[in-house]
Amino acid sequence: MTTLTTADLVLAGGRVVDGTGGPERVADVAVADGRIVAVDALADVSAARVVDAAGLVVCPGFVDVHTHSDLTLLSSPAAHSAVRQGVTTQVIGNCGLGTVPVPPDTDAAALRAAVGFLDRDPAVEWRWRSLLEYLETLRAAQPAVNVMTLVGHVPLRAATVGFARRAATAAERDRMCGLLADGLAAGAAGLSTGMVYPPASYADEAELVALGRVVAEHDGVFAWHVRDYADGLLDSVAQALRVGEQAGCRTQISHLVVVGRRNWGAARAALDLVGAACERGLDVGVDVYPYLAGSTSLFQLMPGWAQEGGAGALLRRLGDPAVRERIRDELVGHPVGWDEIRVSRLPADDPQVVGATVADLAAARGQSGADVVMDLLLAYDAAVDMVAGGRCEDDLREVLAHPLTVVGSDGFALDPHGPTGSGMPHPRSYGTFPRLLADYTGEGGLPLPAAVAKCTGQAARRLGLTERGVVAPGYAADLVVFDPAVLRDRATFDAPQNYPDGVRLVVVNGEVVVEDDHTGARPGAVLIHRDRQEIGEQGCRVPR
Ligand SMILES: [Zn+2]
């Protein structure tokens, strides 16, 4: 029994699942000045507000280690799709995609097209050149969630090598490393690469190791969208681990999936590679989202050679019949069938196209799937997104169950009623965490405390966040209260923009952001990862 005189908020008598993976217990949780001040049976506390949480689960707010909200948070800072599912912290700058740095000699239009997957509201102006300036813009937007960023490899390479398909020279590599060091010094938590996204995809291993060493010097994390999640999965995972070991940097394998029916079952072998690297001493983790489809730019289906020079060059090439013939040939035997690839977003909503599969469009137009894809890219200036399947439940469960795996949505902060709500986005932006906790726990799944830890404390640790992700005194008051009997993801591939049921209360830095509905509060902090400093800004302590 703790005696506490005052508190701003008390969540009384809930089932506290504290984010450490330890067993749940019934306790009161008291919050004052944005922090958790007590987790105990409280007597005689005078609180500004008491919420009866009896029978409900009280857990840390979800730490989404893998998002692409870099631009959507500027357009939709209320972050409806995130907070309504209980997310209180998002990590942006994943998959090599990012919006900084943009030094004056960068082809900014080509960069904006290359990271078009992030770009869901053309009204958002890019007024920044450095990470510091970007973070100022983000702070001014007042997001509802806390935000931590990685530096993306795509803008780094666009700023130094441009869109040429070749290895960087030693001088270019040094410049890239310098820009990365600037970003890390400004507060980024690490680096991400996307080995399928030009121009990052043109990097050789010497470049990746050099960048990894800079990450290691700043005690950051290096997150990998690996080169191939289909036929080349094991080699691609091995590359990330090899670079991590050579550079000595913390390593994260992003959204580990197995793509293509012929590769199903490979999750075990990929996890064994990760586990062996961990045994050898590499600080390595994995993240995953609980769905059997992914989503990215449609142009990712185009071969790397066809994308050399950026989106403009790709579109010019697609007008050449010989190029089209070669691409058609290369796409024969693609691991994901045309009936498993759906158009999810266009610059202008066309109900005939958005939501249709490439196979549907091919049948309607009397064309091959490859020609449909190339014509869509041409018609919409390459600004087309897809949702692509080809995965299986057994692999997903294998990855989820692994002790090194945490959960990351790979989604966006979206507002279904704003510009970011266009198209038919992947439902993971709305449902990842309720889906995980409702559908992948209990019998045949994870124990609830372990599942919560993968969404909170364990995820926070991957980023060096030591003051978030756990319900304990001294931690930031990022909290979720949900009703386990009602919790349900309601976002589907056909109706993706539905909020989940059962999330009762969401608290960010001590302020209530969701109480059944969004309250309008936007108390999120921009979290700074500060190297060699005990306590960073906004309560991010970097472990030494
Ligand atoms: Zn990715």
Side-chain angles (χ1 to χ4, degrees), residues 323-487:
V323 167
R324 290 180 71 108
E325 182 69 43
R326 186 174 161 197
I327 291 174
R328 229 177 266 129
D329 285 350
E330 288 194 24
L331 285 176
V332 172
H334 190 269
V336 183
W338 297 126
D339 59 339
E340 297 174 299
I341 299 176
R342 270 183 181 217
V343 177
S344 60
R345 187 177 61 116
L346 299 171
D349 264 343
D350 177 347
Q352 304 291 320
V353 176
V354 174
T357 67
V358 173
D360 295 336
L361 296 170
R365 297 174 178 189
Q367 278 185 306
S368 72
D371 283 291
V372 167
V373 169
M374 291 188 277
D375 284 352
L376 286 172
L377 293 172
L378 277 170
Y380 297 102
D381 278 341
V384 185
D385 292 345
M386 63 177 169
V387 167
R391 298 117 187 251
C392 76
E393 189 72 33
D394 287 352
D395 281 324
L396 168 58
R397 286 184 178 271
E398 187 94 46
V399 175
L400 265 176
H402 197 277
L404 293 175
T405 299
V406 300
V407 177
S409 71
D410 204 7
F412 301 88
L414 301 176
D415 176 356
H417 305 296
T420 60
S422 68
M424 289 180 72
H426 191 300
R428 62 195 178 188
S429 291
Y430 288 82
T432 291
F433 294 90
R435 182 179 173 89
L436 188 271
L437 296 178
D439 297 354
Y440 290 88
T441 58
E443 216 172 309
L446 293 158
L448 183 64
V452 167
K454 286 173 183 290
C455 304
T456 60
Q458 199 182 334
R461 278 206 305 281
R462 291 305 304 150
L463 301 159
L465 284 171
T466 59
E467 296 194 352
R468 294 182 190 272
V470 176
V471 182
Y475 278 77
D478 295 342
L479 295 158
V480 177
V481 179
F482 68 84
D483 183 344
V486 176
L487 190 71

Side-chain angles (χ1 to χ4, degrees), residues 66 68 94-95 97 193-194 197 224-225 229 254-255 410:
H66 192 109
H68 293 290
N94 272 287
C95 295
L97 308 175
T193 190
Y197 296 109
W224 287 68
H225 178 129
Y229 289 91
S254 297
H255 46 58
D410 204 7

